Amino acid sequence: MKQDRIIQNERAPLAASLWAATANDAPDRPALHGGAEADVVVIGAGFTGLSAALHLAEAGKCVIVLEAETPGWGASGRNGGQVNPGLKADPDQTEAEHRRDIGGRMVAASAVAGDLVFGLIKKYGIDCDANRCGWVRSATSASTLAALSETGRQWRARGHAVDEIDADEMARLLGVRHYVGGLIDRRGGNLHPLNYALGLAAAAERAGAKIHGQSRVKQMNSDADSITVTTDTGSVTAGKALICTNAYTGPLADPLGQTVVPVTSVQVATEPLSDNVAHSILPEGHSPSDTRRLLVYFRKDAHGRFIMGGRGALSDKHVLDRQQALRDVALDLYPQLDDAKWRYAWGGDVALTRSHAPGLHKIAPNAMAGIGFNGRGVGMATVMGRILADWAAGCPEDALDYPVTRPQPIPFHRFRRIGLGATVALFGILDRFSP
Ligand SMILES: Cc1cc2nc3c(=O)[nH]c(=O)nc-3n(C[C@H](O)[C@H](O)[C@H](O)COP(=O)(O)OP(=O)(O)OC[C@H]3O[C@@H](n4cnc5c(N)ncnc54)[C@H](O)[C@@H]3O)c2cc1C
C-alpha cells in the first residue's frame, strides 16, 4: 500500500505530508472482524504502541494492536524526525521532583532514548534514513545560551556526550551565522519518522504481533481477570491493555484525554534543492531546534528537501498563516531558499502536559496508558513503549523506569486550547522584540 493514503481523514491544511509522499510501501492491515484473544491488546500504532508491541512480541507474548487509521497516522508519521534524548526538564530537576531512586531511573531511561531508537533501527534493519549526527540546540540570546549551557553541564556530570558549541561552530554546522552558540547532544540525530514507524510495525509483525488498521476502539470493559476492548466490527479480550493514543486520545478511557492539551504543530518543505544550495545549508545533516519562545525546528531530508517546523494554530486559516510564517522564517535564515519550490505543508497534534513530562497512567488494574510527550516523542515514546511492555510482561510497578500515576484531568481542560491561542500570540510578539 502506498503511504500517501496515510493522511486521509485529515483536515486539508495538515494533509500534504512530505513523509507520506516519500514513505516506503507497507502492507494493507485490515480491520479487526469478530472476537479475538491475546495476552496484551495495544491501542494506537504510533511509536509508543509499536515499540510496546515489538518488545512484547520479542518476549513471546501474544499481542494484537488496534489502530483507528493506519500505523503511523498520528504524530509518529508527521513529526520533525528529530531524535531528542532526555525529558524536557533538566536531569537535576527531574531527580529533585521525584524520589531519588525513581527520579534517577527516569533520567537514565530518557538518556538512552537515542541508543534505543538507533539500536532498534540497526537490529531490525529499518530503512528510515537514520542519521546519528547529534541534536543541535541553537541559542538566540545570552540568557538562553546560559540555560543550554547548564543543561549540558548536568548531562556531562552524568557521563553523557552533550557538548557546548560556540557561535563559530554553530555557524559552520548550520551554514548561517545567526545564533550565539548552543549545544550538540551527540546521543541524538534524525530520521524519516513515518518510515521508522512502518519499520517498527513490520518488525513487530515479524516477531508475531498482529496489527489491525481501521479499528478504532470505542469501549473498554475490564473485570478481575481480563479486559475486553471493542471496535465497530470486533473485540479483543486480553490479560492487559496498553493505551497509546497520545494527543488523539479523545474520550477513550476518560479522563485520560484530559491529562493532555493537544496542540497543532505544522511543517513546510521544499522540493529537493539544487546541489549547491543544499550543500550551503546544514552541510552535515543536522536538525536544529532553536530557543525562541515559539520554537522552530528545521532540517533537510535525505534527498535535500528543506523542512521548517513550528507551532500551529487552531483554525484552518491560522494554520495556513503559520505555515506561511515558517516559510518566511526559513527565508530570513537562508536567503538562498529564495528560488525553492515549497511543495509540502502538513501538521499534527502534540500532547502537552502540565508538568512538561509524559504520564504513565494506571487506568484499571489491567490497563495502563503512556501519553504526553510534549513534542519530544521520537525517543521518549519509543522508551515509554518499552516501559509499558515491561509492565504488561509482569514487572512490578515500583520497579518500572517511570512512576505510575492516576490520570489527573487538567483543570478547565475544555478552555485550555483557547488560552493557549492567546499565549501563542503573546510569545510571537515577545520573540519579535526580545529573541
Ligand atoms: C508536527 C509534529 C512535529 C514533531 N516533531 C518531533 C520531533 O522532531 N522530535 C520528537 O521527538 N517528537 C516530535 N513530535 C512529537 C512526536 O511525534 C510524538 O510525541 C510521538 O509521535 C507520539 O507517539 P505516540 O505513539 O504516543 O502517538 P501517535 O503517533 O499520535 O499515535 C497515536 C495513535 O493512536 C491512534 N488512536 C487514537 N485513538 C484511538 C482509538 N480509540 N483506537 C485505536 N487507535 C486510536 C491514532 O490514530 C494514532 O495513530 C512532533 C509532533 C508533531 C505533531
Side-chain angles (χ1 to χ4, degrees):
M1 182 178 84
K2 204 63 199 148
Q3 290 298 310
D4 35 10
R5 283 167 50 193
I6 199 152
I7 299 201
Q8 275 184 351
N9 301 336
E10 184 50 285
R11 291 156 55 198
L14 303 180
S17 157
L18 164 64
W19 307 127
T22 57
N24 299 331
D25 280 353
D28 270 326
R29 296 189 167 97
L32 173 76
H33 283 282
E37 291 189 356
D39 295 326
V40 183
V41 60
V42 175
I43 305 169
F47 301 141
T48 309
L50 293 168
S51 165
L54 174 57
H55 283 94
L56 283 164
E58 282 285 304
K61 299 289 178 192
C62 170
V63 188
I64 297 179
V65 181
L66 300 176
E67 163 56 48
E69 304 285 345
T70 49
W73 180 91
S76 298
R78 305 160 185 251
N79 61 68
Q82 291 181 334
V83 183
N84 320 343
L87 296 163
K88 281 236 156 146
D90 281 342
D92 283 1
Q93 186 185 336
T94 302
E95 288 184 359
E97 285 174 354
H98 295 85
R99 256 186 15 237
R100 189 157 177 88
D101 57 340
I102 187 66
R105 291 209 299 277
M106 291 165 79
V107 169
S110 70
V112 296
D115 289 345
L116 181 64
V117 169
F118 291 106
L120 291 172
I121 290 168
K122 185 159 182 224
K123 179 169 178 190
Y124 296 101
I126 297 175
D127 171 14
C128 62
D129 302 324
N131 180 7
R132 199 170 190 179
C133 54
W135 171 36
V136 168
R137 305 179 70 182
S138 318
T140 45
S141 64
S143 60
T144 54
L145 181 61
L148 286 178
S149 165
E150 174 58 16
T151 302
R153 187 195 67 71
Q154 292 184 21
W155 281 117
R156 285 194 302 281
R158 290 165 174 80
H160 295 280
V162 184
D163 299 323
E164 286 180 44
I165 46 183
D166 63 17
D168 288 343
E169 178 63 357
M170 188 63 79
R172 190 185 73 75
L173 292 180
L174 269 60
V176 62
R177 182 168 290 280
H178 182 80
Y179 296 98
V180 296
L183 280 187
I184 181 158
D185 185 334
R186 300 190 194 278
R187 304 167 297 179
N190 55 65
L191 44 69
H192 185 305
L194 179 52
N195 282 341
Y196 173 52
L198 295 174
L200 288 176
E205 284 172 330
R206 284 199 301 275
K210 288 204 178 78
I211 302 177
H212 294 281
Q214 314 307 327
S215 300
R216 178 176 297 279
V217 171
K218 299 254 173 96
Q219 218 184 323
M220 301 174 57
N221 294 303
S222 69
D223 59 31
D225 302 320
S226 65
I227 183 157
T228 299
V229 307
T230 310
T231 70
D232 280 342
T233 54
S235 65
V236 178
T237 299
K240 284 186 172 153
L242 301 178
I243 306 172
C244 308
T245 45
N246 207 39
Y248 298 92
T249 300
L252 186 72
D254 197 46
L256 179 64
Q258 294 176 51
T259 65
V260 298
V261 180
V263 176
T264 306
S265 182
V266 293
Q267 291 177 80
V268 290
T270 67
E271 293 275 29
L273 303 172
S274 66
D275 283 353
N276 59 337
V277 174
H279 288 142
S280 69
I281 297 173
L282 300 165
E284 295 180 16
H286 289 96
S287 49
S289 317
D290 82 10
T291 56
R292 57 192 105 187
R293 291 177 190 83
L294 291 181
L295 167 146
V296 292
Y297 48 95
F298 47 100
R299 57 174 292 191
K300 294 180 298 188
D301 78 349
H303 302 280
R305 299 176 182 92
F306 182 79
I307 306 161
M308 175 66 82
R311 186 62 62 82
L314 291 180
S315 72
D316 284 2
K317 181 190 170 307
H318 288 118
V319 166
L320 294 172
D321 290 348
R322 286 292 308 152
Q323 287 168 335
Q324 184 51 45
L326 290 174
R327 294 182 195 104
D328 295 342
V329 171
L331 264 179
D332 270 357
L333 260 184
Y334 297 111
Q336 62 269 51
L337 289 173
D338 198 21
D339 286 336
K341 291 200 176 54
W342 293 93
R343 162 91 185 270
Y344 307 94
W346 74 102
D349 282 354
V350 169
L352 302 188
T353 61
R354 228 175 151 187
S355 65
H356 307 292
L360 176 62
H361 297 304
K362 187 93 174 264
I363 304 300
N366 42 19
M368 190 78 88
I371 70 170
F373 298 100
N374 294 276
R376 275 212 204 169
V378 179
M380 201 52 211
T382 308
V383 169
M384 186 61 87
R386 197 266 297 153
I387 294 170
L388 287 165
D390 289 346
W391 174 77
C395 179
E397 282 171 26
D398 58 8
L400 294 171
D401 284 339
Y402 211 85
V404 176
T405 45
R406 295 269 164 197
Q408 292 290 339
I410 295 173
F412 306 107
H413 183 264
R414 255 181 338 137
F415 303 106
R416 295 294 288 204
R417 290 189 76 153
I418 300 167
L420 210 75
T423 311
V424 167
L426 174 66
F427 279 2
I429 293 165
L430 288 173
D431 276 336
R432 224 165 291 151
F433 293 108
S434 62

